[in-house]
Amino acid sequence: MSMPEYDPNNVFAKILRGEIPCKKVYENDHVLAFDDINPQTPVHVLVIPKGAYVSMDDFSARASEVEIAALIRAIGEIARQLGIAADGYRTLSNCGTHGRQEVGHLHFHIFGGRQLGRMIGPAPDPA
Ligand code: AMP
């Protein structure tokens, strides 16, 4: 299966270009993080690379070592900055159709601020 093409009009591309607002929590040369507009937990932040990558599949294949290191390091730094590292948190990156990815720009969710449920919910019907 071929990788979907990056759509430069996706909502996170618009946030990166400053065309729509976000509640920024962190930024460096390679990474932007902001509050999810529809938070599922007391802390729900999205961490995105500034480069145009569709998903984890795309990013892991094409991104530079510097971009990959920057994103992973940022996730840890943001969790510490937000004060959730000690109690724990969850990172999640939905990828493609089976992963239920809605926005076609790679993003990692950081969920925290309360005890979370177990990892994966039931499959929808029909599975
Ligand atoms: P996913 O299903 O992993 O692609 O999740 C996309 C996430 O983006 C959802 O949690 C949405 O609530 C979030 N989202 C969509 N539009 C915005 C926006 N303008 N600002 C912040 N978060 C957004």
Side-chain angles (χ1 to χ4, degrees), residues 13-76:
K14 290 181 179 172
I15 286 175
L16 282 168
R17 290 195 296 268
E19 293 168 10
I20 59 174
C22 73
K23 192 156 172 251
K24 183 163 73 177
V25 300
Y26 178 95
E27 183 170 20
N28 68 24
D29 286 349
H30 299 288
V31 176
L32 179 69
F34 48 89
D35 284 340
D36 195 291
I37 206 167
N38 182 23
Q40 305 298 307
T41 47
V43 174
H44 184 176
V45 166
L46 300 172
V47 187
I48 69 173
K50 289 187 173 177
Y53 299 102
V54 176
S55 66
M56 191 57 191
D57 187 43
D58 188 15
F59 188 70
S60 60
R62 292 197 304 111
S64 69
E65 310 297 308
V66 169
E67 289 174 298
I68 291 170
L71 188 72
I72 298 298
R73 288 211 185 276
I75 291 170

Side-chain angles (χ1 to χ4, degrees), residues 1 10 16 23 29-30 32 39-40 45 51 53 61 86 90 96-100 107 114-115 125:
M1 203 167 81
N10 76 73
L16 282 168
K23 192 156 172 251
D29 286 349
H30 299 288
L32 179 69
Q40 305 298 307
V45 166
Y53 299 102
R90 179 172 299 157
T97 307
H98 278 189
R100 292 275 188 120
H107 49 284
R114 67 162 165 81
Q115 181 65 56
D125 274 345

Side-chain angles (χ1 to χ4, degrees), residues 1 11-12 19-21 24 30 34 46-47 49 61 63 74 81-82 85 91 93 99 101-104 113 120 126-127:
M1 203 167 81
V11 66
F12 297 163
E19 293 168 10
I20 59 174
K24 183 163 73 177
H30 299 288
F34 48 89
L46 300 172
V47 187
Q81 180 185 300
L82 294 172
T91 60
S93 185
Q101 181 178 1
E102 283 171 12
V103 178
I120 302 286

